[in-house]
Amino acid sequence: SNHLKAAMVNLRLLSLLLLVVPTSSSSSTAQVPCSCKTSFLSACVDEIAGAKNCTKMVFVDHAVHGTIPSALGSLNFLTTLRIDNCSLSGTIPPSLSSLGTQDALLGVSLQTGFLTGTLPSELLPHPNMKFVMINNQQLTGLVPEAWFQSASPQLSHVTLNNQRLSGTIPSTLNVARTPKLVQLVTGSNVMSGTVPSLLGSFDKMTWLDLSNNILSGTLPASLGSLTHAKEFHMGTYYGH
């Protein structure tokens, strides 16, 4: 990892930082064998902070331990942040709300790790945000109402599966604000309350997963209007 950090110095034209788990030599994809430690992720941020062309940071299937550095929020030209199947712990720093402050941020994916704490209310309201995928972590608390109150009209995918999230499905979900929403996944949490009838107004929805929560009440008839739905999961439902 020290060799890789040294090689990154002065890469001011860097447009993509991609680190994935190495596969066999027969693979046609160029991959970087590296065991990343806590300091490595921070070093990556420090080294590319001045690379204004760096629009994507992707860590997949890597031994990236420790916490998400607050300095990550300084990468204001970033369009995509993806840290999946790593071993990150700690909380999601509020500074991530500063990602893509040049109206560049399109999406954030933090899947499969040991993150705790709550979802930052400032994370989602970016004018061009298309997706947020934070699954298989250990987050608690509510899905912020502010996420959908000021959401981008480009928002299409929100997946928050397999956490410890509680509270109700946000009442601020509104097809007028997010007309392109095609995937909403909040399965395997401890969310309660009823299924809002307004979900039936998302006529482009193809995947709705509210399963394995503690939702109750009558399923709204409006869900029958989801004519484009290919997957609809309501397992372990306490209503009718």
Side-chain angles (χ1 to χ4, degrees):
S1 59
N2 288 332
H3 293 296
L4 185 55
K5 284 190 288 184
M8 290 171 56
V9 175
N10 297 324
L11 295 182
R12 298 302 181 232
L13 297 180
L14 186 70
S15 61
L16 167 65
L17 175 61
L18 172 63
L19 296 177
V20 295
V21 69
T23 58
S24 65
S25 58
S26 61
S27 172
S28 60
T29 303
Q31 301 184 349
V32 181
C34 175
S35 179
C36 303
K37 303 302 181 183
T38 305
S39 59
F40 181 79
L41 185 54
S42 296
C44 287
V45 175
D46 292 341
E47 295 297 345
I48 68 174
K52 295 184 178 180
N53 291 316
C54 186
T55 59
K56 297 180 182 179
M57 178 178 279
V58 180
F59 292 83
V60 179
D61 295 324
H62 253 280
V64 180
H65 297 281
T67 60
I68 300 175
S70 295
L72 195 57
S74 66
L75 304 181
N76 58 3
F77 285 86
L78 212 63
T79 64
T80 303
L81 173 65
R82 183 181 174 195
I83 309 177
D84 295 343
N85 301 321
C86 295
S87 299
L88 291 177
S89 57
T91 61
I92 300 174
S95 62
L96 286 197
S97 63
S98 298
L99 279 172
T101 51
Q102 303 296 322
D103 296 346
L105 190 64
L106 300 180
V108 172
S109 178
L110 302 171
Q111 304 197 62
T112 310
F114 305 99
L115 294 175
T116 56
T118 60
L119 294 166
S121 59
E122 306 88 354
L123 182 61
L124 192 57
H126 281 264
N128 295 304
M129 191 82 147
K130 292 184 177 181
F131 67 88
V132 57
M133 299 178 175
I134 306 177
N135 304 303
N136 303 314
Q137 303 285 355
Q138 298 177 13
L139 300 176
T140 57
L142 310 178
V143 178
E145 294 278 344
W147 273 24
F148 301 101
Q149 193 167 23
S150 304
S152 162
Q154 305 301 319
L155 186 66
S156 60
H157 294 73
V158 177
T159 66
L160 304 168
N161 191 52
N162 196 22
Q163 316 274 352
R164 299 174 185 173
L165 299 174
S166 57
T168 61
I169 298 170
S171 61
T172 47
L173 269 167
N174 189 311
V175 70
R177 296 191 188 100
T178 54
K180 297 183 179 181
L181 190 65
V182 298
Q183 186 177 40
L184 177 64
V185 177
T186 63
S188 299
N189 285 289
V190 287
M191 299 182 72
S192 58
T194 60
V195 177
S197 60
L198 56 84
L199 287 181
S201 62
F202 288 90
D203 56 350
K204 292 182 173 60
M205 185 82 71
T206 61
W207 187 347
L208 178 63
D209 184 352
L210 309 176
S211 64
N212 301 319
N213 282 286
I214 49 176
L215 297 170
S216 59
T218 303
L219 283 176
S222 61
L223 294 183
S225 299
L226 300 178
T227 56
H228 288 90
K230 296 179 180 179
E231 296 197 33
F232 182 23
H233 300 268
M234 286 298 299
T236 315
Y237 182 65
Y238 294 90
H240 55 279

